[in-house]
Amino acid sequence: MSERKYFSPLARGLHWAMALMILAMLFIGVAMVASTGPAYHRLVGLHRPLGIAILALAFLRLVNRVASSAPSLPTTLPQGIRILAGSSQVALYLLMIALPLVGWAMLSAGDYPVSMTGGVTLPPIVSPDPALYASLRGLHTWLALGLFGVILAHITGALVHGLLLRDGVFQAMLWRRPHASTRIE
């Protein structure tokens, strides 16, 4: 049986959907910090349900990752790079789960509702506590900055594989599999 060279369609779909959602979420978060009044409330109205959707998809993605194998990294990659790649994947999964959970806990501690579309409000996951709210708000910011940094490293690694190394790692996550005749040398 030959080794799989591409991620499954579900893995690719989750990856690209979450990439768009997370990038939108990071920009919405930055805009929220710089906004006041009605604009702020509209952004919060987007931020909360989008965060919960990212949390749900992160769990689905984690289950899918455990249940189905991923393509192996090329054997030509040095061991240090392989460890770095694995560590960055772990960091991405941890942050995709921790950041929305901390946001939910922060809102719960501040006694703010986590309102979803359709009038659904999620239950609080911690008791109201102003000191905890302040701590979690800072943690939420730092985790977001960490996620932004890990994403930049992830994109850099993808571009190195796709444009410089051309070793199939970048192509494994693409929707369209490249044909040998279209490969740029």
Side-chain angles (χ1 to χ4, degrees), residues 37 40 114:
Y40 173 80
V114 179

Side-chain angles (χ1 to χ4, degrees), residues 26-27 32 42 82 118 161:
L26 289 171
F27 285 111
M32 282 172 41
R42 279 194 299 276
R82 296 162 89 59
H161 284 286

Side-chain angles (χ1 to χ4, degrees), residues 25-171:
M25 183 64 113
L26 289 171
F27 285 111
I28 289 168
V30 168
M32 282 172 41
V33 171
S35 299
T36 59
Y40 173 80
H41 295 291
R42 279 194 299 276
L43 291 169
V44 167
L46 292 171
H47 192 80
R48 290 176 184 171
L50 189 54
I52 297 301
I54 289 169
L55 177 62
L57 289 178
F59 279 117
L60 177 61
R61 189 170 174 189
L62 184 60
V63 168
N64 183 63
R65 181 67 185 251
V66 170
S68 65
S69 64
S72 298
L73 291 172
T75 56
T76 55
L77 285 179
Q79 186 64 19
I81 299 296
R82 296 162 89 59
I83 292 169
L84 184 62
S87 299
S88 71
Q89 287 295 311
V90 169
L92 275 172
Y93 278 95
L94 287 174
L95 288 166
M96 288 186 299
I97 292 169
L99 191 54
L101 281 175
V102 168
W104 188 357
M106 174 188 73
L107 292 171
S108 297
D111 206 20
Y112 296 110
V114 179
S115 301
M116 307 298 288
T117 55
V120 174
T121 300
L122 298 179
I125 57 174
V126 299
S127 299
D129 180 339
L132 180 59
Y133 171 79
S135 296
L136 291 174
R137 185 173 177 145
L139 179 59
H140 191 67
T141 300
W142 282 107
L143 290 175
L145 292 171
L147 179 60
F148 186 68
V150 172
I151 287 170
L152 288 178
H154 184 74
I155 291 169
T156 300
L159 291 174
V160 165
H161 284 286
L163 299 175
L164 299 177
L165 300 177
R166 297 181 186 176
D167 56 9
V169 171
F170 181 73
Q171 290 77 10

